[in-house]
Amino acid sequence: MQFQSTRGSAPASLDQALANGLAADGGLYVPVELPQFDDDDFAAADSVFDVAAVLLTPFFQGSTLRAELPDILAETFSFPVPLTPLPGSRGNAEILELYHGPTAAFKDVGARFLAACLSRLEGDAAAPLTILVATSGDTGGAVAAAFDQRVGMRVVVLFPDGRVSERQAQQLTCWSDNVLSVAVKGSFDDCQKLVKATMANASLAAKFRFSSANSINIGRLLPQATYYAYASLQHFRKSGKKPGFIIPTGNLGNAHACVMARAMGLPIGAIVLATNANRTIADYLASLKWQPRASVQTLATAMDVGDPSNMERLRGLLGDAEKLRQQIEVFVVDDAEIRAAIRDDFTEFGFPTCPHTATATHVWRHMSSAARSATDWIIVATAHPAKFETVVEPLIGTSIGLPAELAAILSKPSRSVMIELSLDALTEAMRDRFFPS
Ligand SMILES: *Cc1c(COP(=O)(O)O)cnc(C)c1O
């Protein structure tokens, strides 16, 4: 299949779209058309792996990776994606647990798929590809874990020194020799600027072969559509009803993947987005004016996005605000409501949710009873609460057991280098690690 930029420029193959990340005109890659499916196409597909193979095969037509799709999917879904009924009496709801991967958040799915693709396309032991990633916490850990020990691939993770939680820092710094973790004396924005300056430096680019793995890469979206396909089919088969999804949303990647799955014919009803106090999307649907702004800090830090880049893809697929608001709904959930939802979830379900997932449980709990019973709902759980124990534990008054994945990460040795905010300092750190004399 061919891909084109949301801004209309020349088509690219899947291989090119994966390797480039961003299109040359600054737009985001989208498939030129979406394949259409009906339930029969998935008749023999029971696992998330089987569903993914059916759903993604059309996108891999003509790609050099076509024959390797099964291996790529096996590497991606090395962990389960359970759909669990929610205890409680408020009606038919399930929770889609996307947090059983190595770093206990849904970003593992996209990062692992992209790593499996890129290492096959570009991995070269003699001239490794270097993935540069700036992170405010979650993304960098998923990317580092996904590329850890891959031959022909290196990762340089930049994070703001002292501004990530202890557990986040450990997830950024516990990997093998091919992952360089750099604590930068500066903010997340400084880290992002330093990444851009580094990639723009021609002599460094020639030496290191830079690439990026950020969330606008189409290689992170495609695999995310598969768990919506899988969950909706599971639900539809047992109940005959198309479930609605409530999705914690920041940069709109995860939500856009759900919209794609519905547009491909999967049995998905309503799509409801839950954001934190960053209200750019909600204001757009209400005012019809797109007004991106600086992000505000909330308890759901991985959703602190004031200018969601995947809006460009969403508008391309569904249309501008007036059309959008007929096809999706958005609710803003502030920090006080997040706290209340975490407490209520613990009381009602018997387990706590993370601050991101809590935006979605809040929306579900505060729907009108008519809306709640109009359809069956699947609440998307994006991270394990133990990743955010400093927020969650005081609210529920007890400690959260560590899942095995996180326990494994926390027991590893950690190492990072600390640098001043400068290209020279970063260059030296990269040389020391990758070209020691
Ligand atoms: C990244 C992230 C989100 C937001 O997902 P988007 O695709 O950016 O909308 C929600 N929850 C968690 C835990 C995340 O890490």
Side-chain angles (χ1 to χ4, degrees), residues 89-255:
S89 55
R90 284 166 196 271
N92 265 337
E94 289 165 303
I95 192 152
L96 179 60
E97 300 175 13
L98 301 180
Y99 51 70
H100 295 284
T103 69
F106 84 91
K107 289 195 175 73
D108 283 325
V109 175
R112 292 175 73 75
F113 184 84
L114 186 60
C117 291
L118 275 186
S119 62
R120 287 172 169 79
L121 283 174
E122 299 278 341
D124 177 352
L129 195 70
T130 305
I131 308 286
L132 272 177
V133 53
T135 188
S136 57
D138 266 3
T139 302
V143 169
F147 285 90
D148 185 45
Q149 296 191 349
R150 280 189 181 272
V151 174
M153 307 296 291
R154 301 172 179 136
V155 177
V156 180
V157 188
L158 282 72
F159 61 96
D161 182 44
R163 299 196 204 180
V164 300
S165 75
E166 239 172 88
R167 284 189 185 171
Q168 278 177 329
Q170 176 68 15
Q171 295 195 352
L172 297 170
T173 58
C174 68
W175 309 105
S176 312
D177 283 347
N178 72 323
V179 177
L180 172 64
S181 309
V182 185
V184 178
K185 291 192 180 151
S187 66
F188 168 61
D189 289 340
D190 292 332
C191 293
Q192 262 186 324
K193 282 183 204 140
L194 186 50
V195 162
K196 282 195 183 144
T198 310
M199 289 183 125
N201 181 299
S203 73
L204 289 177
K207 193 174 171 84
F208 286 96
R209 296 183 68 222
F210 292 127
S211 183
S212 77
N214 62 24
S215 65
I216 47 94
N217 195 305
I218 189 74
R220 291 187 41 180
L221 276 190
L222 293 175
Q224 289 173 186
T226 66
Y227 46 69
Y228 291 107
Y230 167 72
S232 65
L233 285 165
Q234 293 273 306
H235 187 89
F236 189 72
R237 281 173 190 163
K238 67 186 175 213
S239 69
K241 291 192 219 165
K242 294 183 178 186
F245 283 89
I246 310 175
I247 307 169
T249 296
N251 206 26
L252 267 170
N254 206 7

Side-chain angles (χ1 to χ4, degrees), residues 407-424:
I409 281 180
L410 295 180
S411 70
K412 289 188 182 191
S414 137
R415 64 178 162 159
S416 60
V417 294
M418 197 189 298
I419 65 164
E420 298 292 332
L421 179 65
S422 85
L423 183 57
D424 285 348

